[in-house]
């Protein structure tokens, strides 16, 4: 919903029930802490306590009377000839959960009103109101307290008012009132207003001539403001968001519209000094079995940014309209069927690089589009969808645009008889993309069409304490009907293609255990050798299209998988035996793992002739494409080693190493050291190395492609200096290109009644060209200020920081 002004109602004076928060023009001075039920912390202070103490309501002085009756206690009582009653001394009146304490109460003979002289104290559950005098109606809920001082115990909230009055219609009027969540004696901030009216029934209040004061100095003024007084949503302005990046001001002023109990909207005009006015909006709805939202933004005639370089990426769309829209809807038809709708689109591939998103953690690489319905039975699973996405790259050539599935129909099932099982998998998809086919060179990339893919399988799985064994046979059958459009020489290409490939695999492993004592502690050590054999014959796929397929990079999991490609357009040939061994140290009866190490390698009995080209008779030329040739002809995979060591309850390290023992070079390695403290400290040290061309799925021209060996160092931390101060930082360094990819430093101050988050960040902005020299540096300062119980100013960045700094959890403001 965003940050809103948060007020609490003052409720029920006649029924002696209050609960609230107001403003003021010239509120009376606050009372000392000891008069407000404030108890400083002693030995019972909690570790995360930010305030100096806590408000504690004392016990009632009188037992609760029967419903509707008033119990009283006083030192003396006088009765006049006209029926007037005067209670004197330590007068205590209690009705239900409310209690009045005062030195004198006068009740005229009419018995319609009661007058109390102060200093008085009015108490209710989690509530205290002190005042100089009070007038209460005995026939209605009307009441008035002069020079009032109030406390809401459980919200750590206090305030003052020249006069606090409950009207006969149930509303409350406060004259010259104040409100703050700061400790007694601390007025770092408070909200004051002249005339405040609170309506509990509608859950809202209004105030005239309201202002925000910091240290007694006014910093913001509202001639008139409406605000919520309970947890119900209320229409009104939210706190603005302010940011400064590269010297430019970014100011957004959200407006929240509570349309109905199940519908709301947020409208956000946003002024960016070097861009112009960006209007954003979000609409949400909730139905009994469905929910959805639509969000978007529009900027007319982009000013192009502040760069003086006309070739800068930020100026590519100068003078053009910039926009995005994202619609989501999901629901259930019954207990077994669900459906989803999604449509996303942006004016260009750089929209989110330039403007971000005000309403969600929008994926900045693609805008999904989906219409899906599925069924999940005990045996069968069915799925029908139309699916695609807009690829957010700029520039983006037609041949690189993604394919849509219009439609995609899937059916899968699994049956089991003891260890024996059968599986069925099937999918029919029609692939299309929004390009002019005749403008794309005639090759496999220029076709659209349908694909039917069947994948039945049978197997037998044995799982015992001593190990496991699983022989498996899978049959992949694929058929295409392709359309190359109105082109020349189309008759030379086969538009009806089929492929049938068996996949045979045998997977097995043993488990040995022994008790082991290390460092005076007992462990259970396992030794788990395992083997996997896979055979997949080569089939000619040189005429096959590439709709959704890429070659997988090698990894530990690939040792045990017969699939060399993702997607269904390629089935990689394979005649391979993988051998490996794991060993674990288990610390206690619950099997908590302290150390796990693994070592494995695959041995190939034949060359792999199928790559993305798909021709079984052609292997990449050694001189022109040594990495491709080597991947196809090497007789064994890199040696894969890994370790996961929980050094102590706070320190943990992970390591992975892929080493080519033939060429004597490391293909990929990574090591991470993590520290986690119960106090909230987090430290991360990381190192990454990857050989150029290691990932065959990233082809030259792709944004993910790098034409250099990747070597990066990553340091990040979040440190709680004390209960109020959090320090965060990150330094990500590209050692190959001698540049800092990201530098971040920030501080968060979290006090009893306010919070401050200040972060400086400098980063490399990818220019979508896969060439390092085209990237450019951006920087910004992010400031967020929160008045607890009221709202905050500034853009929230917590989700980004938690992603960039593993283990960091922002302290709730």
């Amino acid at each position: 919903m965003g940050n809103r002004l948060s007020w609490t109602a003052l409720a029920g004076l006649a029924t002696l029930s209050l609960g609230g928060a107001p403003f003021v023009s010239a509120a009376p001075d606050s009372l000392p802490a000891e008069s407000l039920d404030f108890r400083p912390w002693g030995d019972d202070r909690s570790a995360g306590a930010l305030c100096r103490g806590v408000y504690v309501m004392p016990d009632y002085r009188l037992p609760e009377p029967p419903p509707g009756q008033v119990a009283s206690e006083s030192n003396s009582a006088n009765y006049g000839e006209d029926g007037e009653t005067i209670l004197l001394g330590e007068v205590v009146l209690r009705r239900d959960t409310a209690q009045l304490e005062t030195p004198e109460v006068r009740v005229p003979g009419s018995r319609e009103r009661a007058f109390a002289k102060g200093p008085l104290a009015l108490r209710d559950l989690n509530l205290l109101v002190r005042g100089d005098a009070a007038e209460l109606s005995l026939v209605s809920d009307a009441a008035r307290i002069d020079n009032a001082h109030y406390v809401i115990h459980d919200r750590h909230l206090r305030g003052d008012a020249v006069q606090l009055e409950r009207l006969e219609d149930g509303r409350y009027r406060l004259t010259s009132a104040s409100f703050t969540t700061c400790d007694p004696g601390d007025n770092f901030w408070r909200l004051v207003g002249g005339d405040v009216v609170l309506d509990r029934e509608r859950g809202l209040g209004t105030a005239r001539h309201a202002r925000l004061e910091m240290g007694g100095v006014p910093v913001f003024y509202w001639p008139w403001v409406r605000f919520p007084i309970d947890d119900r949503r209320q229409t009104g302005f939210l706190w603005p968001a302010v940011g400064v990046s590269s010297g430019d001001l970014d100011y957004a002023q959200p407006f929240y519209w509570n349309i109905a109990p199940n519908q709301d909207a947020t409208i956000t005009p946003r002024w960016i000094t070097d861009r112009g006015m960006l209007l954003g909006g979000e609409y949400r709805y909730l139905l009994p079995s469905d929910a959805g939202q639509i969000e978007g933004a529009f900027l007319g005639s982009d000013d192009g940014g502040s760069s003086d370089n006309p070739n800068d990426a930020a100026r590519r769309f100068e003078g053009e309209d910039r926009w995005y829209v994202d619609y989501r809807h999901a629901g259930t038809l019954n207990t077994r069927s669900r459906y989803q709708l999604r449509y996303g689109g942006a004016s260009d591939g750089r929209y989110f690089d330039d403007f971000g998103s005000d309403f969600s953690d929008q994926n900045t690489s693609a805008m999904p589009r989906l219409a899906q319905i599925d069924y999940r039975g005990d045996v069968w699973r069915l799925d029908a969808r139309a699916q695609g996405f807009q690829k957010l790259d700029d520039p983006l050539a037609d041949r690189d645009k993604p394919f849509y599935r219009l439609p995609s129909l899937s059916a899968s099932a699994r049956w089991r008889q003891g260890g024996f099982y059968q599986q069925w998998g099937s999918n029919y998809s029609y692939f299309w993309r929004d390009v002019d086919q005749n403008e794309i060179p005639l090759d496999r990339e220029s076709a659209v069409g349908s694909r039917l893919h069947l994948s039945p399988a049978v197997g037998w799985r044995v799982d015992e304490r001593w190990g496991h064994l699983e022989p498996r046979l899978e049959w992949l059958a694929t058929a295409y009907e392709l359309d190359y459009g109105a082109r020349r020489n189309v008759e030379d290409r086969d538009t009806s293609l089929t492929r049938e490939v068996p996949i045979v695999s045998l997977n097995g492993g043993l488990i040995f255990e022994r008790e082991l004592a290390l460092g005076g502690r007992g462990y259970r050590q396992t030794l788990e050798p395992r083997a996997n054999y896979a055979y997949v014959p080569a089939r000619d796929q040189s005429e096959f299209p590439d709709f959704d397929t890429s070659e997988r990079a090698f990894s530990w999991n690939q040792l045990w998988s017969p699939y060399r490609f993702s997607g269904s357009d390629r089935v990689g040939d394979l005649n391979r035996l993988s051998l490996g061994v794991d060993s674990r140290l288990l610390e206690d009866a619950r099997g908590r793992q302290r150390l796990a190490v693994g070592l494995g390698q695959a041995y190939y009995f034949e060359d792999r002739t199928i790559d993305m080209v798909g021709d079984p008779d052609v292997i990449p030329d050694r001189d022109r494409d040594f990495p491709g040739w080597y991947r196809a002809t090497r007789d064994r995979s890199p040696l894969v080693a890994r370790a996961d060591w929980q050094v102590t309850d706070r320190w943990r390290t992970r390591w992975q190493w892929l080493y080519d023992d033939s060429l004597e070079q490391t293909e990929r390695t990574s090591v991470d050291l993590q520290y986690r403290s119960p106090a909230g400290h987090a430290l991360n040290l990381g190192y990454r190395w990857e050989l150029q061309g290691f990932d065959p799925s990233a082809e030259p021209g792709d944004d993910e492609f790098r034409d250099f060996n990747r070597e990066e160092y990553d340091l990040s931390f979040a440190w709680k200096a004390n209960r109020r101060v959090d320090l965060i930082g990150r330094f990500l360094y590209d050692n190959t290109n001698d540049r800092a990819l990201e530098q971040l430093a920030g501080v968060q101050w979290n006090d009893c009644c306010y919070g401050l988050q200040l972060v400086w960040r400098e980063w490399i902005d990818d220019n979508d060209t896969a060439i390092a020299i085209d990237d450019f540096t951006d920087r910004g300062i992010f400031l967020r200020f929160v008045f607890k119980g009221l709202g905050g100013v500034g853009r929230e960045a917590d989700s980004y920081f938690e992603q960039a700094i593993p283990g960091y959890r922002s302290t709730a403001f």
Side-chain angles (χ1 to χ4, degrees):
M1 300 295 179
N3 294 321
R4 299 196 302 272
L5 294 179
S6 176
W7 304 88
T8 309
L10 291 174
L13 287 179
T15 58
L16 303 182
S17 169
L18 296 180
F23 324 48
V24 195
S25 240
D29 293 336
S30 300
L31 294 179
E34 56 270 17
S35 299
L36 298 175
D37 293 346
F38 187 78
R39 188 184 72 189
W41 289 112
D43 295 337
D44 58 343
R45 179 174 191 147
S46 61
L50 297 173
C51 300
R52 299 198 316 271
V54 61
Y55 295 106
V56 178
M57 181 177 175
D59 295 334
Y60 286 100
R61 293 177 58 177
L62 294 178
E64 184 174 358
Q69 297 185 23
V70 177
S72 66
E73 178 182 277
S74 64
N75 290 342
S76 64
N78 299 323
Y79 303 94
E81 294 180 358
D82 57 355
E84 182 181 58
T85 301
I86 300 177
L87 304 178
L88 299 171
E90 294 187 14
V91 181
V92 181
L93 302 178
R94 181 172 179 185
R95 178 182 178 184
D96 298 327
T97 60
Q99 178 176 277
L100 175 66
E101 304 168 19
T102 180
E104 179 181 329
V105 172
R106 181 173 61 87
V107 181
S110 63
R111 296 293 191 268
E112 292 182 353
R113 291 184 176 275
F115 300 89
K117 289 186 177 180
L120 61 86
L122 182 63
R123 298 185 179 278
D124 203 341
L125 294 175
N126 290 313
L127 170 71
L128 166 65
V129 179
R130 294 191 181 275
D132 290 346
E135 178 183 344
L136 297 89
S137 172
L138 299 181
V139 295
S140 71
D141 288 340
R144 186 187 73 241
I145 296 179
D146 297 331
N147 203 32
H149 311 272
Y150 61 91
V151 171
I152 310 298
H153 298 79
D154 57 347
R155 299 199 179 191
H156 205 88
L157 181 154
R158 63 180 175 87
D160 311 284
V162 170
Q163 187 178 88
L164 187 155
E165 180 181 9
R166 171 160 177 154
L167 308 177
E168 291 190 4
D169 61 6
R171 295 181 301 155
Y172 298 87
R173 168 163 287 158
L174 297 94
T175 304
S176 298
S178 72
F179 152 73
T180 186
T181 56
C182 297
D183 283 333
D186 178 7
N187 285 329
F188 178 80
W189 74 266
R190 68 173 186 167
L191 206 60
V192 293
D195 182 49
V196 180
V197 177
L198 307 175
D199 188 338
R200 285 189 68 213
E201 193 166 320
R202 297 175 61 193
L204 58 85
T206 60
R208 298 181 184 276
H209 303 296
R211 67 181 183 270
L212 176 66
E213 292 183 353
M214 296 183 64
V217 178
V219 296
F220 204 86
Y221 170 77
W222 296 269
W224 179 89
V225 65
R226 185 169 66 174
F227 48 87
I229 59 176
D230 56 24
D231 292 335
R232 284 177 285 182
R233 307 188 308 266
Q234 300 292 343
T235 297
F237 286 100
L238 311 182
W239 281 97
V242 182
V244 177
S245 179
S246 300
D248 298 304
L249 176 66
D250 186 345
Y251 178 88
Q253 177 57 70
F255 178 81
Y256 179 76
W257 181 16
N258 183 35
I259 302 172
N262 65 333
Q263 301 178 62
D264 65 8
T266 304
I267 302 169
T268 306
R270 178 180 170 192
W271 174 252
I272 309 172
T273 54
D274 63 338
R275 295 287 187 176
M277 177 63 73
L278 178 73
L279 181 62
E282 177 190 52
Y283 167 69
R284 305 188 300 181
Y285 56 90
L286 179 64
L287 305 176
S289 60
D290 313 81
Q293 70 179 61
I294 182 170
E295 64 179 75
F298 178 82
L299 169 67
S301 187
D302 183 5
D303 289 344
S306 56
S307 174
D308 295 330
N309 181 4
N311 298 318
D312 193 288
R315 299 192 61 179
R316 288 181 189 163
F317 302 96
E318 186 172 359
E320 298 184 18
D321 294 342
R322 311 287 299 277
W323 56 267
Y324 91 96
V325 63
D326 191 7
Y327 172 66
R328 314 178 194 193
H329 180 89
T332 58
L333 300 177
N334 52 53
T335 56
R336 293 185 179 270
S337 294
R338 303 174 304 174
Y339 73 94
Q340 295 184 68
L341 300 173
R342 179 81 181 266
Y343 180 83
S347 57
D348 55 80
R350 282 199 55 85
Y351 177 90
F352 293 105
D353 293 330
D354 292 339
F355 303 108
S357 172
D358 287 332
F359 300 103
S360 65
D361 295 329
Q362 175 65 51
N363 182 356
T364 59
S365 63
M367 296 292 290
R369 297 164 185 180
L370 173 68
Q372 177 194 15
I373 183 172
D374 64 20
Y375 168 80
R376 297 189 177 191
D378 296 332
V379 175
W380 284 93
R381 291 194 173 188
L382 309 177
D383 183 284
R385 65 179 63 191
Q387 185 175 22
F389 62 92
Q390 177 188 358
K391 190 175 181 180
L392 296 180
D393 279 351
D394 179 67
L396 180 63
D398 280 353
R399 64 179 294 111
D400 296 325
K401 290 183 177 179
F403 285 91
Y404 286 74
R405 300 168 182 252
L406 303 173
S408 177
L409 309 174
S410 300
S412 61
R414 184 179 177 93
W415 301 268
R416 180 179 290 276
Q417 304 86 35
F420 186 67
Y421 65 86
Q422 308 88 46
Q423 291 181 185
W424 173 263
S426 59
N427 174 266
Y428 171 82
S429 295
Y430 185 84
F431 293 91
W432 171 88
R433 59 179 171 177
D434 186 17
V435 299
D436 185 350
Q437 282 184 269
N438 298 319
E439 296 297 322
I440 300 177
L442 182 60
D443 58 18
R444 295 169 310 162
E445 312 300 328
S446 60
V448 299
S450 63
R451 182 186 72 197
L452 176 64
H453 183 71
L454 308 178
S455 56
V458 295
W460 181 62
R461 175 82 182 188
V462 177
D463 274 305
E464 300 290 347
R465 288 180 57 87
W466 49 262
H468 69 276
L469 179 66
E470 182 181 10
R472 175 184 170 93
L473 172 63
E474 185 174 13
W475 188 266
L476 303 184
T478 312
Y480 293 87
E481 288 294 332
L482 304 178
D483 179 7
Y484 287 92
R487 298 164 173 269
R488 297 179 181 178
N489 303 321
V490 173
E491 62 276 4
D492 296 336
R493 309 190 75 82
D494 191 352
T495 57
S496 296
L497 304 171
T498 60
R499 178 192 63 205
E500 296 180 2
V501 186
I503 296 180
V504 180
S505 64
L506 178 63
N507 188 45
L510 299 173
I511 301 176
F512 301 96
E513 296 181 351
R514 68 167 180 170
E515 300 302 320
L516 181 66
L518 290 174
R521 304 182 64 177
Y523 298 92
R524 186 167 78 253
Q525 183 189 17
T526 70
L527 184 66
E528 304 172 35
R530 60 184 299 188
N532 178 280
Y533 174 76
Y535 176 74
V536 184
R539 295 290 187 267
D540 188 352
Q541 300 160 70
S542 56
E543 295 296 316
F544 283 30
D546 174 15
F547 291 139
D548 63 357
T549 296
S550 63
E551 188 172 355
R552 294 176 173 175
F554 196 78
S555 66
W556 174 268
N557 290 334
Q558 281 297 105
L559 281 172
W560 322 110
S561 172
Y563 309 108
R564 292 176 43 220
F565 295 89
S566 63
S568 302
D569 295 318
R570 296 289 180 276
V571 178
D573 55 326
L574 195 62
N575 189 359
R576 180 214 66 199
L577 174 64
S578 295
L579 300 176
V581 61
D582 287 305
S583 182
R584 294 180 293 155
L585 284 182
L586 307 179
E587 187 174 31
D588 49 34
R590 292 182 301 165
R592 187 169 59 168
Q593 180 176 287
R594 179 63 71 179
L595 174 66
V597 295
L599 182 67
Q601 191 169 30
Y603 300 89
Y604 303 108
F605 305 117
E606 296 177 356
D607 293 342
R608 278 73 58 212
T609 60
I610 300 299
D611 55 14
M612 288 304 298
V613 175
D615 192 334
D617 299 322
V618 176
I619 291 179
D621 184 84
R622 175 171 181 165
D623 296 329
R624 296 182 179 179
D625 183 10
F626 179 81
W629 172 85
Y630 187 64
R631 279 197 304 271
T633 60
R634 64 193 303 175
D635 59 4
R636 58 184 181 271
S637 76
L639 189 67
V640 185
R642 63 173 187 164
D644 187 342
W645 183 17
Q646 188 74 45
V647 185
T648 68
D649 291 340
R650 300 186 179 189
W651 289 94
R652 181 177 186 175
T653 182
R654 291 187 178 96
W655 170 69
Q656 180 175 270
W657 184 40
L658 277 67
Y659 179 73
D660 185 342
D661 56 345
S662 295
L663 297 181
E664 298 183 348
Q665 66 179 7
T666 296
E667 294 191 358
R668 172 187 279 181
T669 189
S670 64
V671 60
D672 295 281
L673 179 64
Q674 298 178 344
Y675 173 79
R676 302 288 184 269
S677 167
H681 309 313
L683 175 65
N684 306 284
L685 300 171
Y687 172 77
R688 306 282 182 276
W689 161 270
E690 183 176 290
L691 192 67
Q692 175 186 340
F694 174 81
D695 185 357
S697 66
E699 299 179 355
D702 292 347
D703 184 43
E704 297 82 8
F705 179 79
R706 295 292 178 265
D707 57 353
F708 50 80
N709 297 334
R710 174 192 179 192
E711 186 177 25
E712 294 176 358
Y713 299 90
D714 194 352
L715 165 65
S716 64
F717 70 90
W719 200 260
K720 289 189 175 295
N722 54 51
R723 63 171 53 91
R724 286 182 169 84
V725 179
D726 293 351
L727 303 175
I728 62 174
R730 187 187 188 197
F731 183 72
L732 177 60
Y733 184 71
D734 175 5
N735 192 53
T736 306
N737 297 293
D738 191 21
R739 59 178 183 171
L741 296 177
E742 179 167 25
Q743 300 174 79
L744 181 152
V747 59
Q748 177 174 290
W749 176 275
N750 200 23
D751 199 69
C752 178
C753 61
Y754 70 94
L756 173 68
Q757 189 179 69
L758 177 64
V759 177
W760 169 83
R761 181 180 173 226
E762 181 176 289
W763 67 97
I764 297 294
D765 199 340
D766 194 326
N767 208 17
D768 290 344
T769 63
I771 301 175
I773 198 173
D774 290 341
D775 299 340
F776 57 93
T777 300
D778 203 350
R779 59 185 58 85
I781 295 177
F782 305 89
L783 174 65
R784 184 174 179 233
F785 204 102
V786 173
F787 305 98
K788 295 187 178 180
L790 185 62
V793 180
R795 294 192 179 277
E796 296 186 31
D798 293 345
S799 60
Y800 171 78
F801 298 143
E802 290 180 5
Q803 179 183 8
I805 307 172
Y808 169 66
R809 293 295 178 268
S810 175
T811 304
F813 283 148

